[in-house]
Amino acid sequence: MAIRNILTYIVVIAIASSVAYAADPTQLQDFCVAVNDPNAALFVNGQFCKNPMEATPEDFFRQGLDKPGFTGNGNRLGANVTLVSAAQVPGLNTLGISIARIDFAPYGLNPPHTHPRATEILTVLEGTLYVGFVTSNLQNGENKLFDKVLNKGDVFVFPQGLIHFQLNVGKTPAVAIAGLSSQNPGVVTIGNAVFGAEKPISVDVLSKAFQLDGNVIKRLQSMFWISP
Ligand SMILES: *[C@@H]1O[C@H](CO)[C@@H](O)[C@H](O)[C@H]1NC(C)=O
């Protein structure tokens, strides 16, 4: 009996610790400002980091999120994402967070996409957005849409990895700020990845997958897929 209790205890600990390891590891130092020059670098977890004695406030700083991204003529989606991640602010390296400004022309769309490495929390500063995300495949085979119309000051969360979108349903420009739980969230724009891949995914694969005639697939593949 005692042995069984101990085994149960070990199993519970094993499950609990495997859950704990599902999160990003905690950083081992205050920060690891990304640097390209190996002579100015230390190694942490196999990556170059700037020697902390040489880090400056500029490593943690970026200007310009007050400026709208261009959404005018020639921007076919009428949306523009200005991302500030570790690529723009080297001090974000290893910290697991980034931010984006998203501008929308009237009826502009940030098309269905996912962030493979980040949950997103979005707040509307101006305008009215229709937003939503779709769950992964549920046990009953469904994918459920969670959607909402957001006004100024409203906040909405897009869980990590799930397909989501934002559409400006107002007659005026809209702007939102998004926080992302990765220093390098990544983007998969669904249409671009599926129909715009370089080289193209085989028509046989896509016509079977989408239950569409090959000519429809070829037409979709011939389109110019863009992301904001
Ligand atoms: C987004 O805005 C930036 C800054 O105005 C501009 O350089 C870029 O071309 C815009 N992107 C699109 C797709 O219009």
Side-chain angles (χ1 to χ4, degrees), residues 35 44 55 66 73 82 99 103 184 223-224:
V35 71
V44 172
D66 59 321
N73 263 350
T82 310
I99 193 168
D103 288 285
N184 179 22
M223 289 170 58
F224 184 58

Side-chain angles (χ1 to χ4, degrees), residues 33-55:
V33 176
V35 71
N36 289 324
D37 175 10
N39 294 325
L42 302 173
F43 281 98
V44 172
N45 298 331
Q47 300 287 332
F48 283 154
C49 303
K50 193 185 235 190
N51 183 334
M53 300 303 287
E54 293 178 6

Side-chain angles (χ1 to χ4, degrees), residues 68-71 74-75 79-82 227-228:
F70 176 78
T71 58
N75 181 325
N80 196 314
V81 178
T82 310
S227 63

